[in-house]
Amino acid sequence: MTPIKPDFHSHSTLSDGKLTPTQLLQRAQTQQVTMLALTDHDTTAGLEEAQQAATQCGIQLINGVEISTLWQNKAFHIVALNIDPKNPQLMAGLAKLQAIRQHRAEKIALKLQKKGISGALESVTIASNGGMITRPHFANFLMQQGYVDTMQQAFDKYLGQGKSAFVKTQWIELEQAIQWIQAAGGVSVVAHPLRYKLTASWFKRFLTAFKDYGGTGIEVITARQSPQETQLIAKYAQQYELLGSMGSDFHTPNNPWIELGRIPSLPNDIQAIWTSF
Ligand code: AMP
Ligand code: MN
Ligand code: MN
Ligand code: MN
C-alpha cells in the first residue's frame, strides 16, 4: 500500500500560483502527493480542470478554496476543504469576493498612479488572465517595470499593510464564510495560523470565535515551520478541539523552500481532518 502523502493548500494560475491546474497536478504526481487540495484565493474556477488532471494522474483531488475574511476588522485566510463547488450559496458568496477583489485592484492601481506609476491595472488584468487579481500580480508588475527588485521589496515599499499602495479591504465576515462553507458541505480550516502577527490573547479570542461559528480545523503543518511552532499550533488544536490539516501553500516552482507535499507529517496526537474525505 502506498503511504498517504497529503497537501491541502496550493495555488494555480486562477489566483496567484504560477502553474495551471494541470501543471500543478503533474507536479504533485512527480512529488508523489496522493491527495491534493487546490485552494485558490476566493475562486473555485480551477477545480474542474484540476479534477480532470487528477484523474489522469491518479491523485485524489479535494475541492478547496482559500477565502479572504475579516474578524474584528483583521484579515484571516480560511481554507475551505471538501466543498461542493456548485453550491449556490458558496458560489454567490465567492462572486461577492470576486467583485471586492476587482474593486480593490482598481484602487491599488489608482494609488500607484498617484505615485507616478501608470499602467498597473491593464498589466495585472492581462497577467491574471481571467483569474483573481492578487497583490503578487502587482508585485510582478512593479518588478517588471523596474520599480523594485524583488517580490518582498514590492510588499515592503508599496503593497504591504500601511504602505503607499495598500488598500484596506472589506473582505467578508469570518462567520459568513464559515456558513457558506458549511452550506457547501465542506469544512473550514484556519490557514497558516502563525502568519497573523497577533498576540496570544488575540489569537485565542480568534480561535474561540472561529470554533463558535462552526470552524473545524487548523493548519498544524505549513511549510517552513519550526518544530516549536508546530508544537504551539498543536497545543491550540488540542485546546480548541480543532482537527489538524497540513498544506505547503505552494505557489511557484521558483521557490526552492516550498514544494508540493514537502511538509512534515502531522503530530501523532492530532486528529487528522482528512480521514472523512
Ligand atoms: P492578496 O490576497 O491579493 O492580498 O494577496 C496575498 C498573497 O500575497 C498571499 O497569499 C501571498 O501569496 C502573497 N504575499 C503576501 N505577503 C507577501 C510578501 N511579503 N512577500 C511575498 N508574497 C506575499
Ligand atoms: Mn497567495
Ligand atoms: Mn493565505
Ligand atoms: Mn494560500
Side-chain angles (χ1 to χ4, degrees):
M1 208 179 83
T2 22
I4 293 172
K5 192 172 173 191
D7 191 333
F8 298 116
H9 191 154
S10 68
H11 295 271
S12 78
T13 45
L14 277 301
S15 67
D16 53 356
K18 283 276 183 286
L19 302 181
T20 65
T22 302
Q23 291 167 337
L24 186 77
L25 267 297
Q26 285 165 350
R27 193 172 184 95
Q29 184 181 36
T30 308
Q31 298 299 324
Q32 284 144 2
V33 170
T34 58
M35 289 173 97
L36 181 83
L38 173 58
T39 56
D40 274 312
H41 295 286
D42 305 317
T43 182
T44 54
L47 294 177
E48 220 175 278
E49 182 186 323
Q51 183 56 65
Q52 283 179 13
T55 306
Q56 291 276 318
C57 297
I59 290 174
Q60 185 182 353
L61 180 80
I62 305 302
N63 286 321
V65 57
E66 182 173 13
I67 303 187
S68 310
T69 77
L70 280 185
W71 174 77
Q72 299 281 315
N73 220 20
K74 301 178 206 309
F76 292 89
H77 284 179
I78 302 301
V79 163
L81 295 177
N82 210 26
I83 46 162
D84 167 13
K86 295 202 163 62
N87 176 267
Q89 221 176 312
L90 178 66
M91 278 168 68
L94 293 179
K96 233 182 251 182
L97 277 163
Q98 289 157 16
I100 292 170
R101 264 193 188 277
Q102 179 63 33
H103 192 54
R104 179 184 74 150
E106 290 161 14
K107 292 208 270 195
I108 293 174
L110 272 177
K111 288 201 162 187
L112 288 171
Q113 181 78 59
K114 285 193 181 129
K115 294 250 126 199
I117 301 174
S118 56
L121 190 62
E122 293 74 7
S123 172
V124 298
T125 301
I126 292 167
S128 62
N129 193 25
M132 295 296 95
I133 300 178
T134 66
R135 282 186 290 168
H137 288 102
F138 282 98
N140 281 329
F141 165 77
L142 290 167
M143 283 193 281
Q144 281 158 17
Q145 297 292 310
Y147 291 104
V148 293
D149 296 325
T150 63
M151 183 78 117
Q152 189 56 47
Q153 251 182 39
F155 276 85
D156 291 347
K157 233 178 137 177
Y158 296 102
L159 303 167
Q161 181 142 12
K163 308 301 176 188
S164 59
F166 180 76
V167 172
K168 172 96 178 105
T169 309
Q170 284 301 311
W171 304 113
I172 51 101
E173 284 294 322
L174 174 69
E175 185 172 14
Q176 181 84 94
I178 294 173
Q179 279 170 9
W180 295 338
I181 295 165
Q182 280 179 338
V187 288
S188 303
V189 175
V190 178
H192 39 67
L194 298 182
R195 225 182 282 163
Y196 302 110
K197 302 193 175 78
L198 294 179
T199 60
S201 70
W202 265 104
F203 192 61
K204 287 176 182 175
R205 287 176 63 195
F206 165 73
L207 289 180
T208 305
F210 176 75
K211 183 78 184 170
D212 280 354
Y213 298 151
T216 304
I218 186 165
E219 283 181 350
V220 174
I221 298 291
T222 66
R224 308 203 67 191
Q225 184 169 287
S226 73
Q228 289 76 15
E229 288 171 325
T230 300
Q231 247 178 27
L232 176 66
I233 309 169
K235 202 185 73 188
Y236 284 132
Q238 305 267 23
Q239 207 173 337
Y240 291 86
E241 296 179 348
L242 294 168
L243 304 182
S245 186
M246 54 201 292
S248 63
D249 204 1
F250 177 88
H251 283 76
T252 169
N254 298 328
N255 183 341
W257 308 109
I258 299 180
E259 181 54 81
L260 275 178
R262 202 201 289 156
I263 38 179
S265 43
L266 208 60
N268 285 330
D269 49 354
I270 295 297
Q271 208 183 325
I273 198 162
W274 59 88
T275 49
S276 64
F277 295 167

